[in-house]
Amino acid sequence: MDTNNIKHEVIESLKTARTAGDIEEIRIREMGKNGRISGLLKSLGELPPEERKTAGKQYNILKTEVEKAIEEHAAAIRLEARNAEILRNKVDISLPVTAGAASRGRIHPLSEVGDELLAIFASMGFGVEQGPDIESEYYNFEALNIADSHPARDMHDTFYLPGNKGLLRTHTSPVQIRAMERLEPPFRFVAPGRTYRRDSDQTHTPMFHQVEGMAVGPDIHLGHLKWTLQHFLETFFETEVELRFRPSYFPFTEPSLEVDVRCERVEGEIRIGTGTDWLEVLGCGMVHPKVLGNCGINPDTFQGFAFGAGIDRLAMLKYGIPDLRSFFDGDVRWIQHYGFVPLHAPTLEGGLAP
């Protein structure tokens, strides 16, 4: 059979195809189970041995060329359809804005503060790591040196999924474990994201946001941690801050520390950087050797620091938001008051005024 004629017929039929359905119809007719080219390939067994090799080569060349022609024409039709869709949905951005529309949209304070944090840590050379919201007990607890008897594992703190299908992560620390399993020291990164705990009041919600940071290397020490937090908090709050480090306990760090900032409370308002009072803002410490070992990092060669803070709480402190629950109420009046004008990117000196 003249394979050139078959190829010519296929190409001519493709020229009249206008939709993906037309292309598929041609493909089935030629390449389907009962297609013409498929039939040729099946007939090779009926040919004499001396003809089979030559015919097989011709049929396979035909098959390859027809497949290529069909795919190229299908790609052209898909591109044409995408371009037509773009033209149908185009928006003339030069048209005047509807009266009042420009003032309606606002960036949520959590989004703004999250961008501020990433900008600050990026300036210090920190990368960004992310992980799943649904975690296993290993990544959420065991790898972080949290014992089976630890209160954090109780049902009243953790949202467990039915059927032993995991849990909603109670912190973003599992991201640190996943990153350490993959990265080779030295490295440093922050891990922002949603976290979940069974708690709800003026300063707690069942879903909230954390940012955790980590640096691991051969010579990391507490001095590096102190400088990092000092620079972060002064840049974020846009003022000089005095820090106080208090001994604490976290299963995944040793030693563990709570960090307070000097503040002043005036008629329900908290002023950071001045006064005679103190306010706890985050927890930190040196990464526990067991945690490093669980991730395949030799604790005799490398050490590191880690810290964690609530993004929601930092937003409350910086922008004077009294109730955490209002972040998630969806009240348009609230977002008009506390939200940020779109397209105003945060700077290293802090967020722009609402």
Side-chain angles (χ1 to χ4, degrees):
M1 183 174 289
D2 190 345
T3 56
N4 286 328
N5 284 340
I6 296 177
K7 177 183 175 182
H8 177 73
E9 291 173 8
V10 172
I11 291 176
E12 288 300 313
S13 62
L14 285 172
K15 290 179 180 178
T16 62
R18 293 291 178 265
T19 66
D22 296 338
I23 296 290
E24 181 64 10
E25 184 178 328
I26 295 171
R27 188 195 67 79
I28 293 174
R29 186 182 71 210
E30 304 293 343
M31 312 293 295
K33 183 178 180 181
N34 299 315
R36 180 165 52 165
I37 296 175
S38 300
L40 288 176
L41 293 170
K42 291 177 182 177
S43 69
L44 286 172
E46 303 172 1
L47 296 176
E50 62 273 12
E51 299 179 16
R52 194 177 302 157
K53 183 176 181 180
T54 301
K57 182 177 180 180
Q58 291 178 341
Y59 295 167
N60 279 310
I61 291 174
L62 173 64
K63 177 176 180 288
T64 300
E65 290 178 343
V66 168
E67 285 178 339
K68 181 180 178 182
I70 290 175
E71 178 53 36
E72 287 178 349
H73 201 77
I77 287 180
R78 288 195 297 269
L79 178 60
E80 184 179 347
R82 282 199 298 269
N83 289 338
E85 180 71 16
I86 291 172
L87 289 175
R88 283 195 302 271
N89 296 318
K90 69 176 181 179
V91 176
D92 187 352
I93 61 174
S94 67
L95 290 175
V97 177
T98 304
S103 65
R104 284 201 294 267
R106 287 290 187 271
I107 301 298
H108 197 284
L110 288 179
S111 298
E112 179 72 16
V113 169
D115 288 343
E116 290 179 32
L117 299 179
L118 294 185
I120 294 170
F121 285 111
S123 73
M124 293 189 278
F126 282 74
V128 179
E129 295 287 338
Q130 294 183 317
D133 288 16
I134 297 177
E135 271 293 2
S136 66
E137 289 195 61
Y138 173 77
Y139 283 106
N140 199 78
F141 296 125
E142 294 173 21
L144 290 160
N145 198 36
I146 299 177
D148 291 341
S149 59
H150 196 282
R153 292 188 180 228
D154 291 346
M155 288 291 291
H156 67 267
D157 278 341
T158 305
F159 289 101
Y160 288 93
L161 301 182
N164 295 320
K165 294 183 180 179
L167 51 87
L168 298 180
R169 65 184 182 187
T170 58
H171 43 191
T172 53
S173 299
V175 180
Q176 297 181 356
I177 299 297
R178 291 179 178 274
M180 284 193 289
E181 289 179 340
R182 190 183 77 255
L183 301 175
E184 290 289 334
F187 54 77
R188 57 185 182 268
F189 61 83
V190 291
R194 293 183 297 266
T195 51
Y196 309 84
R197 294 179 193 171
R198 293 176 177 269
D199 209 350
S200 181
D201 57 37
Q202 187 176 359
T203 57
H204 299 85
T205 54
M207 187 278 290
F208 55 103
H209 301 78
Q210 279 189 342
V211 59
E212 298 193 22
M214 167 174 280
V216 174
D219 302 309
I220 300 294
H221 53 71
L222 279 173
H224 296 127
L225 172 61
K226 181 179 180 181
W227 180 89
T228 299
L229 297 181
Q230 185 89 32
H231 179 73
F232 157 56
L233 292 171
E234 287 187 342
T235 306
F236 179 73
F237 287 116
E238 305 174 57
T239 186
E240 292 186 4
V241 298
E242 182 180 349
L243 303 185
R244 181 176 69 177
F245 291 79
R246 292 180 289 104
S248 186
Y249 169 75
F250 305 113
F252 30 82
T253 52
E254 180 57 41
S256 301
L257 303 164
E258 297 276 4
V259 181
D260 302 332
V261 294
R262 185 178 292 280
C263 70
E264 182 180 22
R265 291 177 169 85
V266 180
E267 297 180 354
E269 178 184 347
I270 298 177
R271 299 175 182 173
I272 304 295
T274 184
T276 59
D277 208 346
W278 295 92
L279 177 70
E280 184 269 322
V281 290
L282 56 84
C284 63
M286 300 300 292
V287 182
H288 198 292
K290 287 186 178 180
V291 174
L292 293 174
N294 289 339
C295 300
I297 297 175
N298 187 349
D300 295 326
T301 305
F302 299 102
Q303 58 186 10
F305 65 71
F307 58 86
I311 296 178
D312 319 67
R313 188 156 180 267
L314 290 174
M316 292 174 68
L317 292 173
K318 181 168 183 176
Y319 296 112
I321 303 172
D323 194 320
L324 181 61
R325 292 167 294 191
S326 59
F327 279 82
F328 311 105
D329 285 343
D331 191 322
V332 175
R333 297 166 299 177
W334 184 89
I335 196 67
Q336 284 290 328
H337 180 75
Y338 288 108
F340 292 79
V341 177
L343 303 181
H344 284 192
T347 67
L348 288 181
E349 290 71 34
L352 297 168

